[in-house]
Amino acid sequence: MTQGTDDPEGLLPLSPATFHILLALVEKERHGYGIMQETARGSDGKVNLGPGTHYRSIRRLLADGLIEESDERPVPELDDERRHYYRLTSFGLRVARAEAQRLAVLVR
């Protein structure tokens, strides 16, 4: 998948790591480690992404246009400038919704 493709179905099914990263970014943008923390919290500790899987998935999501890097900092003077913040794109949200719908159909 390359940027510019607008069919969320073309990316399904998502890997669990990818889906959880997208879910972690639905409410707000986060830095890499914050995504890992939210993924663990949001899954009640059942999903713990290792750094290799996590950052490989981030690179793929960026390349596919599902997330983008943000230049904004929540509180710049209290933040580590080495952190990279990510946010969901509108296409990424559509893909996350399509995956959630696909999973709901499977459960039914």
Side-chain angles (χ1 to χ4, degrees):
M1 159 85 191
T2 58
Q3 283 183 315
T5 303
D6 59 355
D7 179 22
E9 303 288 327
L11 288 177
L12 304 184
L14 297 178
S15 72
T18 297
F19 188 50
H20 283 280
I21 291 169
L22 294 177
L23 292 177
L25 293 171
V26 167
E27 290 181 11
K28 66 179 186 176
E29 59 187 55
R30 299 177 192 277
H31 55 77
Y33 184 63
I35 294 170
M36 291 172 77
Q37 291 176 311
E38 179 59 22
T39 296
R41 188 200 65 74
S43 67
D44 291 327
K46 292 181 176 101
V47 177
N48 290 297
L49 302 175
T53 299
H54 174 70
Y55 287 105
R56 200 170 28 257
S57 297
I58 291 287
R59 282 192 303 275
R60 178 65 188 258
L61 289 166
L62 285 165
D64 286 348
L66 302 178
I67 65 173
E68 59 191 10
E69 210 167 327
S70 172
D71 292 330
E72 296 177 29
R73 302 280 180 190
V75 183
E77 59 275 1
L78 299 177
D79 192 37
D80 185 337
E81 64 186 36
R82 295 171 293 179
R83 286 183 176 157
H84 295 267
Y85 282 80
Y86 304 97
R87 66 177 157 237
L88 202 56
T89 63
S90 59
F91 180 59
L93 180 60
R94 289 178 34 225
V95 170
R97 286 180 175 155
E99 178 68 353
Q101 189 171 31
R102 184 188 75 80
L103 292 170
V105 168
L106 287 175
V107 170
R108 276 190 249 139

